[in-house]
Amino acid sequence: MLGLTMPKRSWMVLLALVLVCAIAGGWYYNYRSKCHGMDDCAAQAAESKERDAPSEPR
């Protein structure tokens, strides 16, 4: 039983490492998903309006 022979301190270090990686990954995903700068936000807003609005009036 390899997993049961590890001291409790190693498990705490491993758990801390996993938590830090999870938080860093979540922050990075959130950072990449948002627009950065006024030009990017304006371009995304215009693109979403074009997609939502019909191209020909009914």
Side-chain angles (χ1 to χ4, degrees), residues 6-35:
M6 291 180 66
K8 289 185 178 182
R9 184 173 178 173
S10 295
W11 283 109
M12 295 298 277
V13 170
L14 182 63
L15 180 62
L17 183 64
V18 168
L19 284 173
V20 167
C21 289
I23 290 170
W27 175 82
Y28 183 70
Y29 176 78
N30 189 30
Y31 176 79
R32 297 250 323 167
S33 67
K34 292 185 177 181
C35 59

Side-chain angles (χ1 to χ4, degrees), residues 39-50:
D39 293 335
D40 291 341
C41 290
Q44 282 185 358
E47 185 178 323
S48 67
K49 280 185 180 179
E50 287 178 5

